[in-house]
Amino acid sequence: MWSWRILGLISFAFGAIGLFLPIWPTTVFWIVAALAFARSNPAWAEWIYARPKIGPPIRTFVETGALSHAGKAAALGGMGLSAAVIGFAFWKRPVPLSIALSILGFGALFVMTRPRAPSDS
């Protein structure tokens, strides 16, 4: 129980950084926080779900595993931007470059294979 709460608090804090730092992802960390809070303190998960712009898509993903078209586009766009930055930073270092791009590739594959959120239909 405490381990879930600690994971939720850390994930929530990391996600909060994204509110002030545009290149930092908020949603993915708050999804982890909501999942952890659902197991340790459901009221805290409900607080995340109640956030006007970010809460409903997080609830949809946690409950159904589905992503909206806009959510998929934003995630893939962010991964594409990350790939460009990583490529620029590590183009002379093939091992870290291939590891980072492989991780991004698996992440992109995961996002592309998620079902479409019911509100997108």
Side-chain angles (χ1 to χ4, degrees):
M1 170 89 80
W2 281 103
S3 58
W4 286 115
R5 189 170 294 180
I6 291 168
L7 175 64
L9 289 169
I10 291 169
S11 298
F12 183 82
F14 280 155
I17 292 170
L19 298 174
F20 306 101
L21 187 62
I23 61 170
W24 190 266
T26 297
T27 309
V28 69
F29 287 113
W30 281 14
I31 287 171
V32 173
L35 288 167
F37 290 151
R39 289 164 179 77
S40 65
N41 189 339
W44 291 0
E46 288 298 324
W47 184 88
I48 292 173
Y49 299 150
R51 300 306 93 212
K53 292 188 180 194
I54 199 167
I58 290 173
R59 179 187 293 273
T60 299
F61 182 78
V62 167
E63 292 177 355
T64 67
L67 294 170
S68 68
H69 181 71
K72 284 185 181 188
L76 294 171
M79 287 182 213
L81 180 60
S82 295
V85 170
I86 289 167
F88 179 77
F90 294 108
W91 71 279
K92 287 187 176 182
R93 300 180 64 202
V95 173
L97 177 64
S98 61
I99 291 170
L101 293 180
S102 295
I103 292 169
L104 280 173
F106 284 118
L109 183 64
F110 176 80
V111 168
M112 290 186 294
T113 59
R114 296 303 90 205
R116 184 176 285 194
S119 60
D120 270 1
S121 300

